[in-house]
Amino acid sequence: LSNQRTISTKLLQANKEWVYRNNDVIAQEVSEIEFELYVVGLSKGEIVFRQVEEHPLLDLLDKFNPETTKMDGIYVTQSDKKMAGDAFWYLERNGKSIENIRVLIPDQVEIEFNEPGSDSLIRRYKYIDTVDNKRVEVYYQPEDVIHFKKPNPQNPFRGKGAVESLADTIDADNLANLTQSNFF
């Protein structure tokens, strides 16, 4: 159930023409989010919210890593969720502190499961890529990956994106465009 790489690749390749434009508008809007952090407490029996202006988490979310701004990181995350139904963040640590967030490409991530009866369901995440024409496999521990997914009734371990739900409509539109282009 976890090997959805081929499906994800096809869904990500559908990000063109009107699909791209719709996805872009949504991802752009979401990427402009401003994060706020609050401390919740009690004062005289009332719940009180106090905004935290400075915190390492806010700094991390403002700049995912030296190459990725908040807007870029959130844009790609939202786009991946819309297209493939999944988005993955790898949390780079220095000891216990998270130094960077890396957005992983969803069609390059596989989920490996533990044997039934184990303490946790997910054993690790496998990231497969090609670098300098060489296949590279990197393994991440579950606590180092945040998996964002849209609910998928057919597979509780991977998400279902809007493009997968609209696949027939997108295919029909693309075929109609191709036919019209070939005619003229």
Side-chain angles (χ1 to χ4, degrees), residues 9-155:
T9 299
K10 289 178 182 175
L11 297 174
L12 293 171
Q13 289 170 351
N15 197 16
K16 57 187 178 184
E17 298 175 4
W18 63 269
V19 173
Y20 171 83
R21 185 62 187 134
N22 288 337
N23 184 45
D24 177 60
V25 168
I26 294 167
Q28 186 66 44
E29 219 28 62
V30 173
S31 74
E32 294 177 11
I33 189 171
E34 291 297 328
F35 293 109
E36 295 178 351
L37 183 62
Y38 291 88
V39 173
V40 180
L42 282 175
S43 176
K44 300 177 186 172
E46 296 288 323
I47 297 175
V48 178
F49 297 94
R50 183 179 54 83
Q51 187 170 1
V52 177
E53 299 291 337
E54 292 185 25
H55 192 277
L57 176 60
L58 293 171
D59 295 338
L60 182 63
L61 290 172
D62 192 46
K63 183 105 170 129
F64 279 35
N65 59 63
E67 302 83 30
T68 309
T69 64
K70 174 200 68 132
M71 285 187 76
D72 291 342
I74 298 298
Y75 180 100
V76 171
T77 300
Q78 178 62 31
S79 179
D80 288 347
K81 278 183 62 186
K82 279 286 181 209
M83 299 300 296
D86 292 299
F88 298 89
W89 287 0
Y90 166 60
L91 308 176
E92 279 183 0
R93 297 178 191 272
N94 182 3
K96 292 190 179 217
S97 122
I98 299 169
E99 297 288 321
N100 293 301
I101 299 171
R102 302 283 176 184
V103 180
L104 303 177
I105 302 168
D107 67 333
Q108 294 175 323
V109 176
E110 290 181 9
I111 303 171
E112 294 185 357
F113 297 98
N114 281 316
E115 295 296 320
S118 298
D119 289 341
S120 62
L121 181 64
I122 297 174
R123 179 167 52 119
R124 62 187 179 181
Y125 292 87
K126 179 167 65 170
Y127 188 75
I128 303 166
D129 203 351
T130 303
V131 179
D132 295 330
N133 294 321
K134 295 178 188 164
R135 181 181 165 100
V136 177
E137 291 184 10
V138 181
Y139 297 93
Y140 300 118
Q141 294 304 307
E143 61 270 15
D144 294 330
V145 174
I146 299 175
H147 181 189
F148 302 93
K149 62 183 176 241
K150 298 291 285 178
N152 182 346
Q154 288 84 33
N155 184 347

